[in-house]
Amino acid sequence: MAAVEAEQLESRLSTEDLMKMQSLFLPSDSSDLPVSMQRAEFVEQAWSVIGRGSQEEYGHLFDSVDVSREGWVNWERLTSYFLLGLSEKDEHIKTTAVLRWRPARTLPVPHRDRLHSITHLPNAGRYLTLSKDGTLTVWEEKNLTLLRSHRLTNDTVRPKDLWATGLVLLPNVQKIAVSFTSKEICFYDLMSKDFNLQYKLHGLHYTPISLHYWYHPDRPDQAVLSFGDAGGQVSGVCFRSALTSLFERLSVGGMQGSAISISWAELQQGRHRCCYTLTHTAHMGQWVRTVRFLGSLEAFLSCSTSANTSMALGWRESESRPLRITAFHTEKGITDLDFHPGLNLIATAGVNNQVCIWNPYVVTQPVGILRGHVTSVVAVQFMLGKRQLISFSKDKVLRVWDVANQLCIQRIAGIFPKTQDCKTLLFFHEERLRVFLSFNSALLLLEAKKESGRRTLSHDSAVTCVLYNSLFRQVISSDGSSAVTCWLMDTGQKVKQFPHCHGNAEISTMALDATQTRLFTAGTDGVVKMWDFNGHCHHSLNAGRGLAVEISQILVLKRTILVFGWERMITVFRLNSFSQYFVQPAEWKGGVQHRDDVLCAAFRPPQTLVTGSCDGEIIVWNNSTENALRKLNPDTRRGDHKSKSASTTSSRRPSLNSAAKLQCSAPCGEEDTESYGITRLAFLEGRKGAANAGGADLVSCGGSGVVRFWNSVNCRLVGEFVAHKDSGSIILTVDSSGRYLATADMDGGVKVWDIQEYCLHPSPSITNQAPVLLSSLRPHIDCVTHLETCEHSNQLYLLSASADCSLALSHLPGPTVGIFGQEIHWRLGGPEEYPLVKEKGGTEEATDVEKNSICIPESFSTEQFTLQEDQDHQQTESEQLHMLSENSDTPGWGFEEGCGLQLSDSWPSPYVNTAHNISLGMYSELKLEELDPVDELDKPDFLTNPDVYFEEMLDSSPPTPPPPSPATQTKKTGLKAPFDEKSLFPKEVLEQVDRVLGAQRSTQRFSVMRNYGRVISRSLGKSKASTSGASKAK
């Protein structure tokens, strides 16, 4: 427990706190000796100077530093302890981090026979692959481009009989060694264009089938070539002067052309002074599957499928003495192995479906067994930097293991070729984080994504669109790799993903139908597809008429589907033609009205449609007749509003195959001009009556960061303001109530504005003042491609998609909740959520949430949320809101138990037209519990003994009822006297009735009077009954 508290204190100490702590150990002017402190002195001074944590925590910190219990610490010891803790944390993060792989792809190889070797040339930046027929292929490292292919030659056998079994790189001498079934090992020069043959080692007893080469990092002259053969023999050629010459030229007869021929018998006899050989036969006739020379152990490591000698270590002691053998036994043998020099561990791939971890000095049993494979394991390889292990089994399942914890942290299956009885090779390139897997002659690549530090990525490529499905309570997103992903809104977890919806074409936009059970996706291939959420495509709409076009928006209406983006005419599909799978577009009756490509549109029931084009023209249509009604031309708008941008940015947002495509700037030196292109259009809900009176009911945005408010009835510009200065093209969205306007720019910034009263009433001139800015945050680091507002669990949220491959969730208005796909899941609907209040009397009133404490992760400090003054519009101090710092690497909070961030009192709450119980405020600590049971009350004595108190009343005769009044003698006649309310009903009842307003006054008055009359009649009836009963008893 003490260690945990000390760690928590260290994580809370900032740089300023460490500087304050360092000042305690600074020597005085008179002495240069380092300052040391004892425990009590350190605890008291550190706690008083830093002012963070408790004295007990500083005492635990002192004990953690003073491990030797000497009773004192100094600054050197403290810094060593801090650095050691940080390095351990970094190492833990590195080893536990799971690689995220890109989609597997098959490389176009020229090999026709199965591959026998894959290796990397570090100095040249090349990959080499060798197939059975001796074909050597060279690949470029960066882009995996096929450079050339060469057929190796060997004079011993004919080319058609050539059979290569293995290849190994000799990097210190720039050569490769290739083994053949002719019981030869040939050495080829990498510096020559045609891979000239330099040495040929022949006369081997058996066919070499596995090769390995090692050289000393400090003394590259010393090297070892080891090989295992089909006869169970492990041999090693130890070079003394590899940089000078691998072998000596003993005689002219040993020359074959330009190559030097060396006999294995000559090497064993020691006739070559530049090298010597070592051999052992511990595997007793079984094929040596893999061989390694371990330079740190000075031993030959080899394995076979023999149960008696599954693995053998041949320790090299001297040149003259034979190898000392250590044998390891497993149940069915070993097919492959690898060694980790840093951990000093051996990993083996077992025929018995197990991956075993061995200590080379422990023979009896492995130190760890990794279980999970259901078939024989055929290959293993360590990831040295991450201290993880890759294994591949015969049923084509790849697993990644955490060696320290002996746990499988990743399983990959279903992406490999379904080839039966194939030879599989596994090669992992550490620097590029690439896994090469060969299946006979096919070569498959798995490449890990670049580690992005703390930043979370939701997709593999740029996110192009985001939608909210209230029926399934899920978020739907698409990306540039043609994948559609569904996420849980409550936690941010991925539910399902549909890859390659449009093949290799990017998905540019999406839309849902009214039932939210059908999803429409548009690809850059010019096709719109209609899907259900089981991944079945019902229809394919030929929007581009066979051409690859960029579709910017899909509008799903009651009887038609409208598609926009690449031409001046509206493309329409009528639902009555959806009888076949392939649907062709119909003719838009209104014809061509725009002078440039139509980019966006908005619809307001029952029949109002507006479209915006690249040149800034907005046209109002009657959707029923498909006729153009009126136009909002750039010529009719004010032209004196000029953006102060340094460059002109096009309003069109192209496809998002790369983020660079989004940065479209004009040539340098061009004069500042305003781009009027329309990127988004939205109707303001609830403003239809305001439009008839002259107010704004339509909002648009586009180039130069300008937002404009229009009156679609009178074709008039009502207001405009610069939402994002110097940002180029922007996008926007409006919530369903028409109160909040969200805008986003090409730098990842998002702003939320209060437009409830903005341009609501007509004015003689155009309004240039901006509305109230509610929040400004930066959830992304690249262009925001799409915005979507949604109501979830009576809360308003904002979804934002970006070209930085992330999908963010934010409060509306408010800070960012998190990134979809992050490791720590959030929880929506908790007490930290912003409440929604019901609209009262047609107007919305802000709920006073005073000093509401929001839960945030401990990794976030309150310094990350600062007040920032908007550059475009000067806000008063009460209007300034908390803003997410742009330096934050990981946006997202509100999902862990931790408090410390206080919201400003001026932060408004979201509004929707639904009631919600608010648990915040001055009465939030009150508890409503069941009342305690009350004991039965004792009856008064006059009720238990009425004869004592009411003896005279009981003896007297019952009173005679009064004669009936004339009013009760007949039922048909009405009241002759006027009805007097004041004399008939009490005063408090009349006051309650008078407070009732509107049309309910008469109804409620009658109900109150009727109920009150019933009470009076019941009381009179009870008194009569009691009196008659008493008389009967008498």
Side-chain angles (χ1 to χ4, degrees):
M1 182 65 183
V4 174
E5 293 179 354
E7 183 181 358
Q8 292 178 351
L9 175 63
E10 297 161 23
S11 63
R12 296 197 303 269
L13 294 178
S14 61
T15 306
E16 292 76 10
D17 298 334
L18 295 176
M19 294 177 64
K20 293 177 182 179
M21 186 179 293
Q22 184 185 14
S23 64
L24 300 176
F25 296 93
L26 293 177
S28 59
D29 298 336
S30 58
S31 176
D32 294 336
L33 298 177
V35 178
S36 60
M37 293 185 184
Q38 295 183 353
R39 192 180 193 276
E41 182 183 5
F42 171 78
V43 170
E44 181 179 357
Q45 292 194 20
W47 178 72
S48 60
V49 170
I50 297 177
R52 188 193 300 268
S54 62
Q55 291 186 354
E56 184 182 5
E57 288 178 318
Y58 285 98
H60 291 316
L61 176 61
F62 183 93
D63 296 337
S64 300
V65 176
D66 185 22
V67 181
S68 59
R69 296 296 184 264
E70 297 181 12
W72 60 273
V73 296
N74 54 17
W75 180 243
E76 183 179 357
R77 287 191 174 186
L78 274 173
T79 53
S80 300
Y81 174 76
F82 290 148
L83 291 175
L84 181 62
L86 291 175
S87 63
E88 290 177 352
K89 288 182 180 179
D90 291 342
E91 187 67 24
H92 176 71
I93 293 173
K94 179 188 280 188
T95 55
T96 56
V98 180
L99 291 178
R100 301 180 62 195
W101 305 96
R102 299 185 184 276
R105 60 192 180 106
T106 303
L107 301 180
V109 295
H111 299 286
R112 290 177 291 181
D113 269 321
R114 62 183 184 182
L115 296 175
H116 277 293
S117 183
I118 307 169
T119 189
H120 174 249
L121 308 179
N123 297 330
R126 301 285 188 268
Y127 292 110
L128 292 180
T129 57
L130 177 70
S131 60
K132 171 186 170 182
D133 58 357
T135 302
L136 186 67
T137 305
V138 183
W139 305 79
E140 195 267 333
E141 177 184 332
K142 185 177 181 181
N143 300 320
L144 292 174
T145 306
L146 180 61
L147 298 180
R148 62 191 177 113
S149 181
H150 180 76
R151 183 75 179 271
L152 298 178
T153 59
N154 188 351
D155 298 335
T156 307
V157 296
R158 294 177 296 178
K160 66 176 183 178
D161 297 329
L162 193 68
W163 188 331
T165 59
L167 176 145
V168 69
L169 173 68
L170 285 61
N172 60 332
V173 293
Q174 296 298 315
K175 292 177 177 58
I176 58 173
V178 181
S179 58
F180 297 95
T181 55
S182 56
K183 302 178 184 179
E184 296 174 329
I185 299 177
C186 298
F187 297 82
Y188 298 91
D189 185 13
L190 289 177
M191 305 302 293
S192 61
K193 183 178 179 180
D194 297 328
F195 299 101
N196 294 331
L197 178 63
Q198 288 190 338
Y199 303 100
K200 179 187 291 187
L201 178 60
H202 62 90
L204 302 175
H205 300 298
Y206 302 98
T207 300
I209 56 177
S210 58
L211 299 173
H212 182 261
Y213 183 80
W214 172 90
Y215 69 94
H216 199 286
D218 297 328
R219 298 184 296 275
D221 269 341
Q222 301 181 10
V224 177
L225 173 67
S226 54
F227 58 92
D229 55 36
Q233 180 173 291
V234 175
S235 305
V237 181
C238 303
F239 298 100
R240 297 187 179 96
S241 56
L243 296 181
T244 304
S245 177
L246 293 179
F247 303 100
E248 296 179 6
R249 182 178 300 164
L250 298 180
S251 63
V252 180
M255 296 285 296
Q256 291 186 2
S258 59
I260 300 177
S261 180
I262 304 100
S263 171
W264 176 248
E266 296 176 356
L267 294 181
Q268 287 186 318
Q269 295 171 7
R271 298 178 60 182
H272 290 258
R273 292 174 296 178
C274 58
C275 62
Y276 64 95
T277 61
L278 295 172
T279 305
H280 77 78
T281 58
H283 294 287
M284 297 178 293
Q286 296 291 330
W287 285 20
V288 180
R289 302 289 179 172
T290 308
V291 64
R292 297 278 190 277
F293 180 79
L294 311 182
S296 59
L297 302 180
E298 288 288 325
F300 293 89
L301 177 65
S302 57
C303 68
S304 67
T305 55
S306 172
N308 296 328
T309 312
S310 303
M311 183 171 61
L313 266 174
W315 304 88
R316 184 177 68 171
E317 297 178 350
S318 65
E319 297 182 9
S320 57
R321 299 183 60 180
L323 298 174
R324 180 170 55 88
I325 305 300
T326 302
F328 298 77
H329 308 284
T330 62
E331 183 179 353
K332 296 181 180 180
I334 297 172
T335 57
D336 193 19
L337 57 79
D338 196 16
F339 177 72
H340 195 298
L343 300 176
N344 197 27
L345 293 176
I346 302 170
T348 59
V351 183
N352 59 350
N353 313 342
Q354 294 178 354
V355 177
C356 296
I357 307 297
W358 302 82
N359 186 326
Y361 299 103
V362 179
V363 183
T364 56
Q365 61 182 3
V367 296
I369 300 177
L370 309 180
R371 295 181 174 90
H373 288 288
V374 296
T375 57
S376 300
V377 186
V378 297
V380 290
Q381 187 167 353
F382 277 107
M383 303 166 66
L384 302 180
K386 302 179 72 65
R387 297 190 176 185
Q388 296 176 358
L389 179 69
I390 303 175
S391 64
F392 193 79
S393 59
K394 194 174 182 180
D395 59 348
K396 299 179 179 60
V397 175
L398 186 142
R399 290 180 179 266
V400 181
W401 307 85
D402 181 2
V403 178
N405 299 318
Q406 299 184 11
L407 294 174
C408 178
I409 59 177
Q410 197 172 28
R411 179 183 181 273
I412 303 175
I415 63 173
F416 305 108
K418 302 183 184 302
T419 308
Q420 300 294 332
D421 298 331
C422 62
K423 177 180 175 58
T424 302
L425 294 177
L426 170 65
F427 175 75
F428 176 69
H429 185 200
E430 188 86 19
E431 289 75 16
R432 292 278 183 179
L433 296 178
R434 289 172 175 170
V435 175
F436 294 89
L437 287 162
S438 71
F439 303 92
N440 289 338
S441 61
L443 183 60
L444 186 135
L445 170 68
L446 271 178
E447 186 173 9
K449 301 175 185 176
K450 294 181 179 179
E451 297 182 0
S452 55
R454 296 173 57 193
R455 191 168 66 88
T456 302
L457 301 181
S458 307
H459 282 259
D460 297 335
S461 57
V463 188
T464 56
C465 187
V466 58
L467 300 174
Y468 175 71
N469 191 318
S470 59
L471 179 64
F472 301 118
R473 298 171 63 87
Q474 294 178 0
V475 175
I476 308 163
S477 59
S478 62
D479 61 19
S481 62
S482 196
V484 174
T485 307
C486 299
W487 311 84
L488 285 180
M489 181 74 173
D490 290 320
T491 60
Q493 295 174 273
K494 183 187 294 186
V495 179
K496 62 178 70 173
Q497 187 176 45
F498 305 108
H500 309 297
C501 294
H502 288 257
N504 295 326
E506 170 193 314
I507 297 179
S508 56
T509 186
M510 298 188 299
L512 288 168
D513 68 343
T515 64
Q516 298 195 3
T517 59
R518 293 293 183 265
L519 175 68
F520 292 83
T521 61
T524 54
D525 55 357
V527 176
V528 176
K529 295 184 178 182
M530 186 176 73
W531 309 79
D532 60 22
F533 285 91
N534 291 323
H536 176 66
C537 182
H538 292 266
H539 296 285
S540 178
L541 285 60
N542 186 15
R545 296 175 176 86
L547 300 177
V549 297
E550 292 185 8
I551 301 174
S552 59
Q553 187 177 351
I554 305 172
L555 204 57
V556 182
L557 303 180
K558 188 175 182 180
R559 295 182 178 87
T560 58
I561 298 173
L562 308 181
V563 186
F564 314 90
W566 71 98
E567 61 182 358
R568 296 179 297 161
M569 182 183 292
I570 300 174
T571 302
V572 57
F573 295 88
R574 309 192 189 279
L575 295 183
N576 55 14
S577 62
F578 277 48
S579 58
Q580 303 294 330
Y581 176 78
F582 294 101
V583 183
Q584 300 300 325
E587 181 183 358
W588 179 255
K589 299 177 183 178
V592 178
Q593 299 293 334
H594 282 281
R595 293 173 294 181
D596 208 337
D597 294 344
V598 182
L599 293 182
C600 56
F603 179 77
R604 181 174 62 190
Q607 57 190 13
T608 304
L609 172 71
V610 293
T611 55
S613 60
C614 286
D615 58 356
E617 185 180 54
I618 299 176
I619 297 181
V620 183
W621 304 78
N622 185 318
N623 186 61
S624 299
T625 62
E626 300 182 0
N627 292 327
L629 302 179
R630 44 194 174 271
K631 294 184 179 182
L632 301 177
N633 294 311
D635 302 335
T636 62
R637 302 178 301 185
R638 278 173 50 114
D640 56 349
H641 182 87
K642 296 295 181 182
S643 173
K644 298 180 181 180
S645 303
S647 62
T648 303
T649 304
S650 173
S651 64
R652 176 187 285 270
R653 293 195 169 206
S655 59
L656 298 176
N657 289 326
S658 63
K661 291 186 179 181
L662 298 170
Q663 307 297 336
C664 306
S665 57
C668 299
E670 186 176 333
E671 295 182 359
D672 294 344
T673 59
E674 184 175 6
S675 176
Y676 287 104
I678 309 297
T679 57
R680 294 292 189 274
L681 284 169
F683 276 108
L684 303 176
E685 296 297 329
R687 289 201 181 190
K688 191 172 182 180
N692 296 328
D697 65 335
L698 179 68
V699 59
S700 68
C701 71
S704 303
V706 179
V707 177
R708 293 183 173 87
F709 287 76
W710 302 87
N711 184 297
S712 62
V713 177
N714 302 326
C715 301
R716 177 175 174 269
L717 178 64
V718 182
E720 62 181 356
F721 68 95
V722 178
H724 297 264
K725 187 179 180 181
D726 300 334
S727 63
S729 178
I730 65 172
I731 59 174
L732 62 79
T733 188
V734 181
D735 73 310
S736 57
S737 65
R739 173 172 183 178
Y740 297 108
L741 168 69
T743 59
D745 57 27
M746 303 185 76
D747 296 325
V750 177
K751 294 182 180 181
V752 180
W753 313 80
D754 186 357
I755 59 170
Q756 186 179 16
E757 301 294 332
Y758 188 75
C759 294
L760 183 62
H761 305 288
S763 60
S765 60
I766 298 177
T767 302
N768 291 323
Q769 184 179 0
V772 177
L773 178 64
L774 298 179
S775 65
S776 179
L777 59 153
R778 189 182 174 91
H780 305 284
I781 62 174
D782 205 342
C783 171
V784 179
T785 57
H786 198 270
L787 292 174
E788 180 85 0
T789 61
C790 64
E791 178 186 342
H792 180 82
S793 299
N794 293 334
Q795 308 290 331
L796 284 177
Y797 295 97
L798 177 66
L799 298 165
S800 57
S802 173
D804 64 358
C805 307
S806 66
L807 179 65
L809 175 66
S810 305
H811 292 279
L812 186 66
T816 302
V817 176
I819 302 295
F820 285 89
Q822 64 187 21
E823 293 183 3
I824 304 178
H825 304 145
W826 58 72
R827 297 188 301 273
L828 298 184
E832 71 275 5
E833 294 296 314
Y834 294 96
L836 300 179
V837 298
K838 187 176 182 179
E839 186 175 323
K840 298 180 180 180
T843 60
E844 297 171 340
E845 300 178 1
T847 304
D848 185 13
V849 185
E850 185 174 358
K851 297 181 181 180
N852 179 22
S853 179
I854 303 297
C855 294
I856 62 174
E858 295 179 0
S859 60
F860 281 80
S861 63
T862 56
E863 298 173 357
Q864 289 178 300
F865 297 88
T866 58
L867 293 174
Q868 180 170 341
E869 184 177 3
D870 189 80
Q871 299 292 336
D872 303 331
H873 315 284
Q874 299 292 334
Q875 301 288 336
T876 60
E877 184 177 356
S878 62
E879 295 172 343
Q880 295 292 337
L881 302 176
H882 289 283
M883 180 177 178
L884 184 64
S885 172
E886 298 183 2
N887 297 327
S888 175
D889 292 330
T890 309
W893 55 281
F895 45 82
E896 280 192 356
E897 299 290 340
C899 298
L901 179 64
Q902 301 293 329
L903 286 182
S904 171
D905 295 332
S906 62
W907 200 311
S909 300
Y911 285 71
V912 295
N913 300 329
T914 54
H916 184 74
N917 294 328
I918 302 174
S919 61
L920 304 174
M922 58 187 301
Y923 302 108
S924 60
E925 297 299 327
L926 294 180
K927 297 181 179 179
L928 297 179
E929 299 178 352
E930 295 183 0
L931 297 177
D932 295 333
V934 180
D935 297 334
E936 186 178 359
L937 297 177
D938 296 332
K939 295 181 179 181
D941 189 50
F942 69 89
L943 293 177
T944 56
N945 302 308
D947 55 328
V948 178
Y949 297 91
F950 309 102
E951 183 177 0
E952 297 180 358
M953 297 179 60
L954 295 175
D955 294 339
S956 60
S957 59
T960 304
S965 60
T968 60
Q969 292 179 0
T970 176
K971 296 182 179 180
K972 296 182 180 181
T973 58
L975 292 174
K976 296 181 180 180
F979 187 79
D980 188 5
E981 295 178 357
K982 296 183 179 179
S983 61
L984 183 61
F985 297 97
K987 181 180 179 180
E988 55 269 18
V989 176
L990 296 175
E991 290 179 353
Q992 179 182 357
V993 174
D994 291 336
R995 285 196 295 267
V996 179
L997 301 177
Q1000 299 177 351
R1001 183 182 181 109
S1002 59
T1003 304
Q1004 192 164 356
R1005 176 183 296 178
F1006 173 75
S1007 176
V1008 172
M1009 291 179 180
R1010 183 182 59 186
N1011 295 336
Y1012 189 77
R1014 289 176 179 175
V1015 172
I1016 295 176
S1017 63
R1018 288 174 183 173
S1019 61
L1020 291 176
K1022 288 182 180 180
S1023 62
K1024 270 185 183 180
S1026 61
T1027 306
S1028 62
S1031 62
K1032 286 181 181 181
K1034 185 175 179 180

